[in-house]
Amino acid sequence: MSKIEDFLTAAEEQQVIEAIRTAEKNTSGEIRVHLEKTAKMDAYERALEVFHLLKMDNTKLQNGVLIYVAVEDKTFVIFGDEGINNVVDDDFWESTKNVMQAHFKRGHFKQGLVDGILKAGKQLETYFPWETGDKNEIPDDISIG
């Protein structure tokens, strides 16, 4: 797998976007997936950089979640903003990563993303339920760098 385009088919990309919409339906939280060929630096540091570049730190309740994937590096990071990090269990992101990684190891990249997105969405819904007037602050599409 040497190209980002090989990571997900067009149909799988649409299923991931649909999972984001489903996960965000009952929460004010925001989820975004970002794919790129390689991090060219520490993956966590790159995820933090992308988080800011995508303006995910500008959500009203600091409840943005980025799933960052460096395809050729075969690594990924789940990065939650301060608002969500302050309320989820300490092991939540690690347990979410484990669910995704189990799928990724079998080459089921779309399913790993979908399961991670939906799991994050349930936590966002618990702590940041949708309220009248909430608006989608971050695009649902997959960002590619």
Side-chain angles (χ1 to χ4, degrees):
M1 176 176 51
S2 62
K3 296 181 184 174
I4 295 172
E5 296 81 21
D6 295 336
F7 189 70
L8 296 173
T9 67
E12 288 172 332
E13 283 185 30
Q14 287 308 307
Q15 290 172 314
V16 169
I17 292 167
E18 193 53 43
I20 292 170
R21 289 180 180 144
T22 297
E24 291 182 355
K25 190 183 303 183
N26 296 311
T27 179
S28 64
E30 298 290 341
I31 301 171
R32 190 94 190 257
V33 173
H34 179 83
L35 306 176
E36 59 187 21
K37 186 175 178 178
T38 180
K40 295 183 180 150
M41 61 192 308
D42 176 76
Y44 180 85
E45 292 300 319
R46 178 63 181 149
L48 177 59
E49 189 175 86
V50 169
F51 190 84
H52 294 295
L53 287 170
L54 296 176
K55 301 191 182 328
M56 295 195 66
D57 53 344
N58 289 346
T59 60
K60 182 177 174 184
L61 298 173
Q62 295 181 305
N63 56 1
V65 176
L66 173 67
I67 298 175
Y68 169 84
V69 181
V71 176
E72 283 189 3
D73 298 343
K74 296 184 179 174
T75 190
F76 70 100
V77 173
I78 306 168
F79 191 90
D81 205 351
E82 192 174 332
I84 186 68
N85 284 343
N86 287 341
V87 294
V88 295
D89 291 336
D90 291 341
D91 67 341
F92 176 72
W93 297 121
E94 193 63 32
S95 68
T96 304
K97 190 173 182 179
N98 291 341
V99 166
M100 293 174 64
Q101 198 162 35
H103 286 295
F104 285 4
K105 285 181 179 178
R106 294 191 309 267
H108 302 152
F109 304 113
K110 183 264 311 178
Q111 196 57 53
L113 289 170
V114 167
D115 286 0
I117 289 164
L118 295 177
K119 188 170 174 159
K122 283 290 179 202
Q123 289 296 302
L124 287 167
E125 183 179 339
T126 298
Y127 296 106
F128 301 97
W130 186 88
E131 295 177 3
T132 304
D134 280 344
K135 62 180 181 180
N136 194 8
E137 298 176 88
I138 304 288
D140 296 335
D141 62 328
I142 296 172
S143 170
I144 297 179

